[in-house]
Amino acid sequence: MIRVFGAPHRYVQGPGALAALPEWTGRLGGRPLLLIDKAVRPLVEPALAGAYRGLPPVLEFAGEVTFAAIDALAAAGRARAPSVVVGIGGGKALDAGKAVARALGAAVATVPSIASNDAPTSKIFVVYDENHGLIGAEHLERNPDLVLVDTALIARAPARFLRAGIGDAIAKTFEAEAAAAAGANTMHGTPGLWTARLLAEGCYRTLRAHAAEALAAAGRGEPDAAFERVVEAAILLSGLGFENGGLSIAHAMTRGLTACPATAPALHGEHVAWGLLVQLLIERRAAAVLADLRGFYATTGLPLRLADLAGKPVGEADMALIAERSLAAPHARNTAYPPDMTALLSAMGELERM
Ligand SMILES: [Zn+2]
């Protein structure tokens, strides 16, 4: 059986890594076009201008990643003939950077300003319509040529973002295991190599050992050793784990949670964390396994119930909507225990009562 593994070409991480961006974009043809999140621009522009000795061409990004926005940004950048497009900011700015790079035939670099999910290392970008409705996931031909993670920048972001990144990452080992048990394909269209399972498991162990300490450092602007490890797990290990290991029920649940207005505003990683609890119940894991993970959630502040995601109790109609939409997600079948509506609603209800 043929199996495929993919990864970014280079991953660079450390405090002050932004200063090394010119060296790395120099290796990628030396004509960078920076696509910067409008909200993040004031935080990074002085460092970038200093590092490059004058700012390279910049496109500012705000709003939604729509096909119209991608076309407009690509049109604005085309005359620069960039060799590399550098997306700088949150997930949407990075996705916009990937999309513009593809449109212009340039290399892709991602510079995340938060560690709230694994998008920086991924070859996928997500496109929405004008009403913030998900249209679908597009795939680049390959993973980013460069992922540059300045942990001093990321340590200035509120702890909630890193907590969400931990929630997105903690599920990967369980999802890769479930996908493998179901014989499901990964994002590469083949079953996963064993390496992906090892990476996802290492991701889990790293988070269990260091997440609480890392969260204590989040927001202070001074990354310590635990913070470095957890950021690496939330971005690199988590990304490699999901693209190469496959997804399952935990991520399928995000389909329903984003369709329900009460839970939609929560962050992706918060959705995934709760979805993982559903997955473990569906898989009929031992009560001790669930209790252990719930203890970790309580320590780190991850959501234990739907009400934690919504900020208020979630009614039966909303629960039915979440279950129905989640079941329609392809990942919902990547398990040895494919749930039906009754099983899913029963698991969701059980969590609310715990
Ligand atoms: Zn995810």
Side-chain angles (χ1 to χ4, degrees), residues 75-122:
R78 189 164 279 118
R80 304 286 186 171
S83 61
V84 51
V85 175
V86 187
I88 304 174
K92 288 187 192 298
L94 303 192
D95 276 8
K98 290 176 190 175
V100 171
R102 184 172 76 170
L104 299 180
V108 178
T110 58
V111 180
S113 58
I114 52 178
S116 66
N117 61 54
D118 54 26
T121 59
S122 166

mmCIF file of all heavy atoms in Angstrom, residues 75-122:
data_model
loop_
_atom_site.group_PDB
_atom_site.id
_atom_site.type_symbol
_atom_site.label_atom_id
_atom_site.label_comp_id
_atom_site.label_asym_id
_atom_site.label_seq_id
_atom_site.Cartn_x
_atom_site.Cartn_y
_atom_site.Cartn_z
ATOM 1 N N ALA A 75 -4.695 40.930 -7.873
ATOM 2 C CA ALA A 75 -4.575 41.986 -8.882
ATOM 3 C C ALA A 75 -3.673 43.109 -8.375
ATOM 4 O O ALA A 75 -2.844 43.647 -9.123
ATOM 5 C CB ALA A 75 -5.961 42.522 -9.230
ATOM 6 N N ALA A 76 -3.827 43.430 -7.074
ATOM 7 C CA ALA A 76 -3.019 44.514 -6.502
ATOM 8 C C ALA A 76 -1.547 44.121 -6.401
ATOM 9 O O ALA A 76 -0.666 44.984 -6.435
ATOM 10 C CB ALA A 76 -3.565 44.891 -5.122
ATOM 11 N N GLY A 77 -1.264 42.831 -6.250
ATOM 12 C CA GLY A 77 0.126 42.396 -6.069
ATOM 13 C C GLY A 77 0.824 41.968 -7.336
ATOM 14 O O GLY A 77 2.047 41.832 -7.363
ATOM 15 N N ARG A 78 0.075 41.758 -8.423
ATOM 16 C CA ARG A 78 0.630 41.138 -9.632
ATOM 17 C C ARG A 78 1.786 41.942 -10.225
ATOM 18 O O ARG A 78 2.803 41.372 -10.638
ATOM 19 C CB ARG A 78 -0.479 40.942 -10.670
ATOM 20 C CG ARG A 78 -0.038 40.110 -11.870
ATOM 21 C CD ARG A 78 -1.208 39.590 -12.685
ATOM 22 N NE ARG A 78 -1.785 38.388 -12.078
ATOM 23 C CZ ARG A 78 -3.027 38.293 -11.625
ATOM 24 N NH1 ARG A 78 -3.835 39.325 -11.710
ATOM 25 N NH2 ARG A 78 -3.467 37.174 -11.088
ATOM 26 N N ALA A 79 1.644 43.267 -10.235
ATOM 27 C CA ALA A 79 2.672 44.108 -10.854
ATOM 28 C C ALA A 79 4.013 43.987 -10.137
ATOM 29 O O ALA A 79 5.064 44.244 -10.716
ATOM 30 C CB ALA A 79 2.216 45.563 -10.864
ATOM 31 N N ARG A 80 4.009 43.595 -8.868
ATOM 32 C CA ARG A 80 5.258 43.437 -8.107
ATOM 33 C C ARG A 80 5.992 42.158 -8.494
ATOM 34 O O ARG A 80 7.136 41.970 -8.083
ATOM 35 C CB ARG A 80 4.941 43.390 -6.605
ATOM 36 C CG ARG A 80 4.170 44.596 -6.092
ATOM 37 C CD ARG A 80 5.070 45.810 -6.014
ATOM 38 N NE ARG A 80 4.389 46.944 -5.389
ATOM 39 C CZ ARG A 80 5.014 48.058 -5.047
ATOM 40 N NH1 ARG A 80 6.304 48.189 -5.256
ATOM 41 N NH2 ARG A 80 4.342 49.045 -4.498
ATOM 42 N N ALA A 81 5.314 41.248 -9.190
ATOM 43 C CA ALA A 81 5.897 39.960 -9.569
ATOM 44 C C ALA A 81 6.658 39.331 -8.404
ATOM 45 O O ALA A 81 7.846 39.025 -8.514
ATOM 46 C CB ALA A 81 6.817 40.133 -10.782
ATOM 47 N N PRO A 82 5.983 39.121 -7.254
ATOM 48 C CA PRO A 82 6.700 38.603 -6.096
ATOM 49 C C PRO A 82 7.177 37.164 -6.308
ATOM 50 O O PRO A 82 6.511 36.379 -6.979
ATOM 51 C CB PRO A 82 5.639 38.650 -4.984
ATOM 52 C CG PRO A 82 4.334 38.551 -5.692
ATOM 53 C CD PRO A 82 4.536 39.284 -7.004
ATOM 54 N N SER A 83 8.345 36.856 -5.726
ATOM 55 C CA SER A 83 8.817 35.467 -5.743
ATOM 56 C C SER A 83 8.203 34.691 -4.591
ATOM 57 O O SER A 83 8.123 33.472 -4.628
ATOM 58 C CB SER A 83 10.342 35.423 -5.636
ATOM 59 O OG SER A 83 10.770 36.011 -4.411
ATOM 60 N N VAL A 84 7.778 35.416 -3.545
ATOM 61 C CA VAL A 84 7.178 34.772 -2.380
ATOM 62 C C VAL A 84 6.141 35.706 -1.766
ATOM 63 O O VAL A 84 6.382 36.909 -1.640
ATOM 64 C CB VAL A 84 8.257 34.364 -1.335
ATOM 65 C CG1 VAL A 84 9.176 35.525 -0.988
ATOM 66 C CG2 VAL A 84 7.623 33.804 -0.055
ATOM 67 N N VAL A 85 4.987 35.168 -1.424
ATOM 68 C CA VAL A 85 3.963 35.929 -0.707
ATOM 69 C C VAL A 85 4.000 35.488 0.752
ATOM 70 O O VAL A 85 3.924 34.291 1.045
ATOM 71 C CB VAL A 85 2.559 35.694 -1.308
ATOM 72 C CG1 VAL A 85 1.490 36.403 -0.465
ATOM 73 C CG2 VAL A 85 2.499 36.170 -2.750
ATOM 74 N N VAL A 86 4.152 36.474 1.647
ATOM 75 C CA VAL A 86 4.270 36.185 3.075
ATOM 76 C C VAL A 86 2.986 36.622 3.776
ATOM 77 O O VAL A 86 2.719 37.813 3.909
ATOM 78 C CB VAL A 86 5.472 36.954 3.696
ATOM 79 C CG1 VAL A 86 5.688 36.514 5.146
ATOM 80 C CG2 VAL A 86 6.730 36.764 2.867
ATOM 81 N N GLY A 87 2.184 35.666 4.209
ATOM 82 C CA GLY A 87 0.996 35.980 4.998
ATOM 83 C C GLY A 87 1.394 36.187 6.450
ATOM 84 O O GLY A 87 2.087 35.347 7.026
ATOM 85 N N ILE A 88 0.996 37.318 7.033
ATOM 86 C CA ILE A 88 1.389 37.647 8.408
ATOM 87 C C ILE A 88 0.137 37.997 9.205
ATOM 88 O O ILE A 88 -0.582 38.930 8.851
ATOM 89 C CB ILE A 88 2.373 38.840 8.430
ATOM 90 C CG1 ILE A 88 3.597 38.549 7.559
ATOM 91 C CG2 ILE A 88 2.785 39.179 9.865
ATOM 92 C CD1 ILE A 88 4.561 39.724 7.409
ATOM 93 N N GLY A 89 -0.139 37.247 10.278
ATOM 94 C CA GLY A 89 -1.286 37.569 11.125
ATOM 95 C C GLY A 89 -2.006 36.333 11.613
ATOM 96 O O GLY A 89 -1.391 35.294 11.851
ATOM 97 N N GLY A 90 -3.332 36.446 11.753
ATOM 98 C CA GLY A 90 -4.153 35.330 12.192
ATOM 99 C C GLY A 90 -4.478 34.395 11.029
ATOM 100 O O GLY A 90 -4.000 34.587 9.906
ATOM 101 N N GLY A 91 -5.307 33.402 11.297
ATOM 102 C CA GLY A 91 -5.571 32.351 10.314
ATOM 103 C C GLY A 91 -6.081 32.862 8.980
ATOM 104 O O GLY A 91 -5.690 32.361 7.922
ATOM 105 N N LYS A 92 -6.939 33.875 9.010
ATOM 106 C CA LYS A 92 -7.513 34.355 7.750
ATOM 107 C C LYS A 92 -6.461 35.064 6.888
ATOM 108 O O LYS A 92 -6.451 34.909 5.668
ATOM 109 C CB LYS A 92 -8.695 35.286 8.026
ATOM 110 C CG LYS A 92 -9.924 34.534 8.534
ATOM 111 C CD LYS A 92 -11.132 35.424 8.645
ATOM 112 C CE LYS A 92 -12.258 34.769 9.409
ATOM 113 N NZ LYS A 92 -12.775 33.530 8.775
ATOM 114 N N ALA A 93 -5.574 35.827 7.514
ATOM 115 C CA ALA A 93 -4.511 36.498 6.754
ATOM 116 C C ALA A 93 -3.563 35.464 6.147
ATOM 117 O O ALA A 93 -3.102 35.623 5.009
ATOM 118 C CB ALA A 93 -3.741 37.471 7.648
ATOM 119 N N LEU A 94 -3.282 34.397 6.893
ATOM 120 C CA LEU A 94 -2.395 33.354 6.362
ATOM 121 C C LEU A 94 -3.071 32.652 5.186
ATOM 122 O O LEU A 94 -2.432 32.361 4.167
ATOM 123 C CB LEU A 94 -2.049 32.325 7.444
ATOM 124 C CG LEU A 94 -1.393 32.842 8.727
ATOM 125 C CD1 LEU A 94 -0.866 31.671 9.548
ATOM 126 C CD2 LEU A 94 -0.268 33.824 8.446
ATOM 127 N N ASP A 95 -4.374 32.391 5.329
ATOM 128 C CA ASP A 95 -5.103 31.747 4.229
ATOM 129 C C ASP A 95 -5.147 32.657 3.005
ATOM 130 O O ASP A 95 -4.987 32.194 1.869
ATOM 131 C CB ASP A 95 -6.531 31.397 4.677
ATOM 132 C CG ASP A 95 -6.581 30.058 5.414
ATOM 133 O OD1 ASP A 95 -5.494 29.499 5.689
ATOM 134 O OD2 ASP A 95 -7.686 29.575 5.700
ATOM 135 N N ALA A 96 -5.368 33.948 3.231
ATOM 136 C CA ALA A 96 -5.375 34.892 2.107
ATOM 137 C C ALA A 96 -4.010 34.896 1.425
ATOM 138 O O ALA A 96 -3.916 34.933 0.190
ATOM 139 C CB ALA A 96 -5.743 36.292 2.598
ATOM 140 N N GLY A 97 -2.932 34.852 2.228
ATOM 141 C CA GLY A 97 -1.575 34.805 1.667
ATOM 142 C C GLY A 97 -1.366 33.567 0.806
ATOM 143 O O GLY A 97 -0.795 33.640 -0.287
ATOM 144 N N LYS A 98 -1.843 32.416 1.296
ATOM 145 C CA LYS A 98 -1.707 31.176 0.508
ATOM 146 C C LYS A 98 -2.450 31.307 -0.824
ATOM 147 O O LYS A 98 -1.946 30.916 -1.881
ATOM 148 C CB LYS A 98 -2.304 29.999 1.286
ATOM 149 C CG LYS A 98 -1.517 29.570 2.521
ATOM 150 C CD LYS A 98 -2.278 28.442 3.249
ATOM 151 C CE LYS A 98 -1.673 28.137 4.604
ATOM 152 N NZ LYS A 98 -2.462 27.138 5.357
ATOM 153 N N ALA A 99 -3.658 31.868 -0.746
ATOM 154 C CA ALA A 99 -4.481 31.974 -1.950
ATOM 155 C C ALA A 99 -3.851 32.925 -2.965
ATOM 156 O O ALA A 99 -3.831 32.638 -4.171
ATOM 157 C CB ALA A 99 -5.885 32.460 -1.570
ATOM 158 N N VAL A 100 -3.333 34.058 -2.495
ATOM 159 C CA VAL A 100 -2.717 35.038 -3.397
ATOM 160 C C VAL A 100 -1.432 34.463 -3.994
ATOM 161 O O VAL A 100 -1.146 34.641 -5.183
ATOM 162 C CB VAL A 100 -2.465 36.367 -2.650
ATOM 163 C CG1 VAL A 100 -1.619 37.312 -3.498
ATOM 164 C CG2 VAL A 100 -3.797 37.023 -2.283
ATOM 165 N N ALA A 101 -0.665 33.750 -3.177
ATOM 166 C CA ALA A 101 0.565 33.118 -3.683
ATOM 167 C C ALA A 101 0.229 32.150 -4.808
ATOM 168 O O ALA A 101 0.914 32.121 -5.843
ATOM 169 C CB ALA A 101 1.276 32.380 -2.547
ATOM 170 N N ARG A 102 -0.820 31.375 -4.629
ATOM 171 C CA ARG A 102 -1.200 30.424 -5.678
ATOM 172 C C ARG A 102 -1.611 31.168 -6.947
ATOM 173 O O ARG A 102 -1.206 30.800 -8.047
ATOM 174 C CB ARG A 102 -2.337 29.521 -5.207
ATOM 175 C CG ARG A 102 -2.683 28.455 -6.242
ATOM 176 C CD ARG A 102 -3.659 27.427 -5.727
ATOM 177 N NE ARG A 102 -5.021 27.950 -5.676
ATOM 178 C CZ ARG A 102 -6.099 27.192 -5.439
ATOM 179 N NH1 ARG A 102 -5.943 25.910 -5.204
ATOM 180 N NH2 ARG A 102 -7.290 27.720 -5.402
ATOM 181 N N ALA A 103 -2.393 32.243 -6.757
ATOM 182 C CA ALA A 103 -2.856 33.009 -7.921
ATOM 183 C C ALA A 103 -1.693 33.619 -8.697
ATOM 184 O O ALA A 103 -1.752 33.746 -9.921
ATOM 185 C CB ALA A 103 -3.831 34.095 -7.475
ATOM 186 N N LEU A 104 -0.619 34.000 -7.973
ATOM 187 C CA LEU A 104 0.505 34.676 -8.618
ATOM 188 C C LEU A 104 1.651 33.721 -8.946
ATOM 189 O O LEU A 104 2.690 34.145 -9.450
ATOM 190 C CB LEU A 104 1.017 35.807 -7.707
ATOM 191 C CG LEU A 104 -0.001 36.920 -7.387
ATOM 192 C CD1 LEU A 104 0.621 37.970 -6.477
ATOM 193 C CD2 LEU A 104 -0.521 37.565 -8.674
ATOM 194 N N GLY A 105 1.496 32.455 -8.630
ATOM 195 C CA GLY A 105 2.556 31.488 -8.913
ATOM 196 C C GLY A 105 3.798 31.713 -8.072
ATOM 197 O O GLY A 105 4.916 31.420 -8.504
ATOM 198 N N ALA A 106 3.634 32.252 -6.865
ATOM 199 C CA ALA A 106 4.772 32.556 -5.990
ATOM 200 C C ALA A 106 4.889 31.505 -4.887
ATOM 201 O O ALA A 106 3.951 30.736 -4.640
ATOM 202 C CB ALA A 106 4.579 33.937 -5.365
ATOM 203 N N ALA A 107 6.045 31.488 -4.229
ATOM 204 C CA ALA A 107 6.230 30.629 -3.057
ATOM 205 C C ALA A 107 5.356 31.135 -1.913
ATOM 206 O O ALA A 107 4.915 32.285 -1.925
ATOM 207 C CB ALA A 107 7.697 30.612 -2.646
ATOM 208 N N VAL A 108 5.115 30.269 -0.929
ATOM 209 C CA VAL A 108 4.230 30.597 0.193
ATOM 210 C C VAL A 108 5.022 30.639 1.497
ATOM 211 O O VAL A 108 5.729 29.685 1.827
ATOM 212 C CB VAL A 108 3.127 29.524 0.348
ATOM 213 C CG1 VAL A 108 2.229 29.843 1.543
ATOM 214 C CG2 VAL A 108 2.302 29.408 -0.919
ATOM 215 N N ALA A 109 4.890 31.754 2.228
ATOM 216 C CA ALA A 109 5.437 31.820 3.586
ATOM 217 C C ALA A 109 4.325 32.222 4.533
ATOM 218 O O ALA A 109 3.468 33.042 4.179
ATOM 219 C CB ALA A 109 6.584 32.827 3.656
ATOM 220 N N THR A 110 4.315 31.626 5.726
ATOM 221 C CA THR A 110 3.317 31.993 6.727
ATOM 222 C C THR A 110 4.023 32.452 7.998
ATOM 223 O O THR A 110 4.986 31.829 8.440
ATOM 224 C CB THR A 110 2.379 30.813 7.059
ATOM 225 O OG1 THR A 110 3.147 29.704 7.531
ATOM 226 C CG2 THR A 110 1.567 30.382 5.847
ATOM 227 N N VAL A 111 3.552 33.557 8.556
ATOM 228 C CA VAL A 111 4.094 34.109 9.800
ATOM 229 C C VAL A 111 2.925 34.353 10.745
ATOM 230 O O VAL A 111 2.300 35.420 10.718
ATOM 231 C CB VAL A 111 4.862 35.424 9.540
ATOM 232 C CG1 VAL A 111 5.426 35.989 10.843
ATOM 233 C CG2 VAL A 111 5.983 35.210 8.528
ATOM 234 N N PRO A 112 2.576 33.362 11.581
ATOM 235 C CA PRO A 112 1.413 33.512 12.458
ATOM 236 C C PRO A 112 1.686 34.488 13.607
ATOM 237 O O PRO A 112 2.787 34.514 14.147
ATOM 238 C CB PRO A 112 1.181 32.100 12.989
ATOM 239 C CG PRO A 112 2.517 31.432 12.894
ATOM 240 C CD PRO A 112 3.200 32.035 11.695
ATOM 241 N N SER A 113 0.672 35.271 13.957
ATOM 242 C CA SER A 113 0.792 36.172 15.110
ATOM 243 C C SER A 113 0.140 35.570 16.347
ATOM 244 O O SER A 113 0.267 36.107 17.446
ATOM 245 C CB SER A 113 0.132 37.519 14.781
ATOM 246 O OG SER A 113 -1.234 37.329 14.446
ATOM 247 N N ILE A 114 -0.595 34.483 16.163
ATOM 248 C CA ILE A 114 -1.199 33.745 17.268
ATOM 249 C C ILE A 114 -1.001 32.254 16.986
ATOM 250 O O ILE A 114 -0.746 31.867 15.848
ATOM 251 C CB ILE A 114 -2.710 34.051 17.436
ATOM 252 C CG1 ILE A 114 -3.445 33.870 16.098
ATOM 253 C CG2 ILE A 114 -2.950 35.445 17.984
ATOM 254 C CD1 ILE A 114 -4.953 34.107 16.175
ATOM 255 N N ALA A 115 -1.118 31.435 18.047
ATOM 256 C CA ALA A 115 -0.960 29.977 17.880
ATOM 257 C C ALA A 115 -2.287 29.300 18.179
ATOM 258 O O ALA A 115 -2.364 28.364 18.956
ATOM 259 C CB ALA A 115 0.144 29.452 18.796
ATOM 260 N N SER A 116 -3.369 29.788 17.546
ATOM 261 C CA SER A 116 -4.698 29.292 17.894
ATOM 262 C C SER A 116 -5.109 28.062 17.091
ATOM 263 O O SER A 116 -6.127 27.447 17.399
ATOM 264 C CB SER A 116 -5.740 30.391 17.692
ATOM 265 O OG SER A 116 -5.843 30.703 16.324
ATOM 266 N N ASN A 117 -4.350 27.713 16.060
ATOM 267 C CA ASN A 117 -4.623 26.478 15.308
ATOM 268 C C ASN A 117 -3.398 26.122 14.468
ATOM 269 O O ASN A 117 -2.373 26.791 14.540
ATOM 270 C CB ASN A 117 -5.887 26.610 14.446
ATOM 271 C CG ASN A 117 -5.762 27.711 13.433
ATOM 272 O OD1 ASN A 117 -4.814 27.752 12.657
ATOM 273 N ND2 ASN A 117 -6.705 28.644 13.430
ATOM 274 N N ASP A 118 -3.546 25.055 13.667
ATOM 275 C CA ASP A 118 -2.391 24.525 12.929
ATOM 276 C C ASP A 118 -2.317 25.023 11.488
ATOM 277 O O ASP A 118 -1.537 24.506 10.701
ATOM 278 C CB ASP A 118 -2.427 22.999 12.959
ATOM 279 C CG ASP A 118 -3.763 22.475 12.450
ATOM 280 O OD1 ASP A 118 -4.409 23.176 11.655
ATOM 281 O OD2 ASP A 118 -4.168 21.391 12.867
ATOM 282 N N ALA A 119 -3.130 26.019 11.135
ATOM 283 C CA ALA A 119 -3.190 26.486 9.743
ATOM 284 C C ALA A 119 -1.828 26.890 9.157
ATOM 285 O O ALA A 119 -1.613 26.689 7.963
ATOM 286 C CB ALA A 119 -4.173 27.649 9.621
ATOM 287 N N PRO A 120 -0.898 27.449 9.954
ATOM 288 C CA PRO A 120 0.349 27.927 9.335
ATOM 289 C C PRO A 120 1.122 26.862 8.573
ATOM 290 O O PRO A 120 1.749 27.167 7.561
ATOM 291 C CB PRO A 120 1.166 28.428 10.541
ATOM 292 C CG PRO A 120 0.145 28.812 11.560
ATOM 293 C CD PRO A 120 -0.973 27.814 11.386
ATOM 294 N N THR A 121 1.094 25.611 9.034
ATOM 295 C CA THR A 121 1.888 24.573 8.365
ATOM 296 C C THR A 121 1.112 23.864 7.267
ATOM 297 O O THR A 121 1.679 23.094 6.505
ATOM 298 C CB THR A 121 2.336 23.482 9.367
ATOM 299 O OG1 THR A 121 1.183 22.900 9.970
ATOM 300 C CG2 THR A 121 3.243 24.061 10.436
ATOM 301 N N SER A 122 -0.189 24.124 7.197
ATOM 302 C CA SER A 122 -1.064 23.338 6.334
ATOM 303 C C SER A 122 -1.035 23.809 4.889
ATOM 304 O O SER A 122 -0.805 24.984 4.598
ATOM 305 C CB SER A 122 -2.491 23.439 6.880
ATOM 306 O OG SER A 122 -3.413 22.973 5.938
#
